[in-house]
Amino acid sequence: GITAATLGKNNTTGPSEVIEGRFGLLASHLQDDTIELDYDMLVKNLGSHWESENASFKPFPVAHVIHPYIDALLRLKTKHAIQVENIKRIVCPVPEYQVGIVCEPIHEKYRPGSDSHGRVSLQFTLAEATVKGVINKDSYSPEALADPAILSLAEKVEYRVDDSFPGPEQFKGEVTIELENGEHFTETEEYNRGSRQNPMTEDEITEKFNTNSASVLSSDQQQSLKEKILYLDSETSAADIIPLTFGK
C-alpha cells in the first residue's frame, strides 16, 4: 500500500497525469476530438501573466449575462424618472446563445418557482430591478416572487435575438423602455460592469462586501477583513486572515 515513506520516496502525492491523462481534466472537459490541445498554454508566461486580471467581478447575484441589462435598465429609470405604472414594455436584444439560458421557457421566466429560477430569468430580474430599484442578496425572496407588481411587469419584458450582439466573450446589454404615452428610451452597456473593460470601483466592491457580510460580521470585523484583503499582497500568511471570517 501507499505509505508516507513511499510517497516521500517517489516524491508524489497524487495521479501524475491529472491534467492530460485518460481520465484527467482535459479529457473530461474537452471532449471534441477535432480540437488540438495546446499544453504550452498552461505554462506560457507563467509567473508574468495573470489570467485572473481578466476575470469579472459580479455586482449582482444573478446569471452573469443579465448584468449589463440590469445596469442599463437602472440608469434609464433614474435618468428619466420612469414610474413603473407608466411602462408599456421593456425590450431587450440578446444573442442567440442566451435564449435558452435566461429567456426561455417563457412561462418559467415570467413566474419563477424559486429564487434559483429567478436568478436565471431576464424577464423577472428586470421587473424586480425596476420595481425595487435594486438587485442584491435579498432579491428573489418569496415575497418578491409572488409580488403582483413584479409579476405583471415581467410579462412586459420582451426579448429579440440580435445577431449583431457578441458571443460569450463579451457580455453586452441593451434595454429600451417604451412608455404608455409613446415615449421610448434606450440605454446600452457595451461591457458588463465588473469586467476588465468596465471595472467596478473599489467603493462598489466594498459596498457589495458590506451588504453580503452584514448579517455575519460586525462592522469592526468587516473593516479588519477588508483591510487585510485590500492589502493582501503585503501579507505573509493566510493565518491572520482566516479568523477574521468567523463571524459575530
Side-chain angles (χ1 to χ4, degrees), residues 30-113:
L30 300 176
Q31 300 176 359
D32 187 342
D33 294 334
T34 64
I35 296 178
E36 184 177 350
L37 301 181
D38 183 0
Y39 294 110
D40 287 340
M41 288 184 65
L42 296 174
V43 294
K44 187 178 181 180
N45 299 319
L46 189 65
S48 59
H49 171 78
W50 304 96
E51 189 60 34
S52 58
E53 292 180 347
N54 295 317
S56 287
F57 286 91
K58 293 185 70 172
F60 308 110
V62 308
H64 217 155
V65 296
I66 301 179
H67 286 211
Y69 295 93
I70 298 172
D71 275 323
L73 176 91
L74 292 177
R75 285 202 301 271
L76 278 181
K77 183 185 178 187
T78 300
K79 185 186 303 181
H80 302 285
I82 293 174
Q83 302 299 311
V84 174
E85 59 271 17
N86 295 330
I87 296 175
K88 181 177 181 180
R89 64 174 182 161
I90 299 173
V91 181
C92 303
V94 301
E96 176 70 39
Y97 83 92
Q98 290 184 13
V99 173
I101 304 174
V102 298
C103 302
E104 296 278 357
I106 285 289
H107 68 281
E108 290 184 6
K109 303 306 182 182
Y110 283 162
R111 293 178 175 272

Side-chain angles (χ1 to χ4, degrees), residues 157-173:
V157 178
E158 304 174 10
Y159 78 89
R160 60 178 178 81
V161 174
D162 188 328
D163 293 332
S164 71
F165 268 51
E169 73 280 0
Q170 176 188 342
F171 296 156
K172 174 182 177 179

Side-chain angles (χ1 to χ4, degrees), residues 132-207:
K132 298 293 187 67
V134 66
I135 292 290
N136 58 25
K137 72 178 184 67
D138 298 318
S139 300
Y140 311 101
S141 65
E143 293 75 20
L145 293 173
D147 189 320
I150 297 176
L151 293 173
S152 176
L153 186 59
E155 296 186 357
K156 298 179 181 180
V157 178
E158 304 174 10
Y159 78 89
R160 60 178 178 81
V161 174
D162 188 328
D163 293 332
S164 71
F165 268 51
E169 73 280 0
Q170 176 188 342
F171 296 156
K172 174 182 177 179
E174 182 177 291
V175 172
T176 296
I177 297 180
E178 182 179 341
L179 303 182
E180 292 288 356
N181 64 7
E183 289 185 292
H184 61 275
F185 308 99
T186 298
E187 184 78 16
T188 301
E189 181 96 328
E190 285 292 339
Y191 294 91
N192 58 294
R193 182 165 57 96
S195 64
R196 187 168 189 172
Q197 297 86 353
N198 182 18
M200 294 173 67
T201 65
E202 184 176 306
D203 285 345
E204 288 174 331
I205 293 173
T206 55
E207 180 183 356

